[in-house]
């Protein structure tokens, strides 16, 4: 159902598309027990729950980030969108995200 709301299908990497869809599930509190905890995963664009958790972190840095990212990918995807919206590249954001939830 979340894919109906999405832009960029066929124009953005599948991991980003699925991450946004799972972000919607996360915000609706439909979190399966097998999902990674915040800070989990090997890379931000691993897809699904990992990417959803990372996008949630980014959205906490800038309220409305995911909606703005969704709008930007209407015509294609670029990692540059993270710099445009958050002022940092995605790799830096991923390192900060991982550090925030490190045990």
């Amino acid at each position: 159902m979340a894919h109906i709301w999405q832009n960029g299908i066929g124009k953005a990497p599948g991991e980003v598309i699925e991450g946004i869809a799972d972000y919607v599930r996360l915000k609706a509190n439909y979190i399966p027990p097998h999902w990674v905890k915040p800070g989990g995963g090997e890379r931000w664009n691993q897809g699904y729950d990992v990417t959803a958790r990372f996008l949630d972190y980014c959205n906490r840095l800038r309220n409305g980030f995911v909606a703005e990212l969704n709008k930007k990918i209407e015509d294609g995807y670029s990692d540059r969108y993270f710099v445009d919206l958050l002022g940092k590249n995605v790799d830096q954001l991923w390192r900060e995200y991982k550090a925030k939830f490190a045990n």
Side-chain angles (χ1 to χ4, degrees):
M1 188 59 92
H3 291 299
I4 294 170
W5 172 76
Q6 284 185 273
N7 292 316
I9 295 178
K11 298 178 183 177
E15 297 86 358
V16 174
I17 297 297
E18 295 302 337
I20 291 173
D22 276 1
Y23 167 82
V24 173
R25 289 179 66 189
L26 177 66
K27 299 319 286 180
N29 207 28
Y30 289 119
I31 306 166
H34 67 274
W35 272 25
V36 299
K37 302 295 180 213
E42 298 299 317
R43 59 187 199 287
W44 79 269
N45 59 352
Q46 196 168 328
Y48 301 97
D49 54 340
V50 173
T51 301
R53 296 279 191 191
F54 175 67
L55 293 176
D56 186 48
Y57 167 77
C58 292
N59 203 74
R60 290 172 192 263
L61 298 176
R62 177 178 175 154
N63 190 32
F65 167 79
V66 175
E68 292 176 54
L69 178 65
N70 184 57
K71 177 66 176 154
K72 283 185 168 289
I73 66 174
E74 188 171 20
D75 296 318
Y77 173 79
S78 172
D79 283 349
R80 184 183 70 250
Y81 298 155
F82 287 86
V83 175
D84 294 347
L85 296 170
L86 298 173
K88 298 178 182 180
N89 71 51
V90 70
D91 293 326
Q92 181 179 0
L93 290 162
W94 177 252
R95 285 190 302 273
E96 292 172 3
Y97 167 71
K98 294 295 282 185
K100 177 179 174 77
F101 294 102
N103 293 333

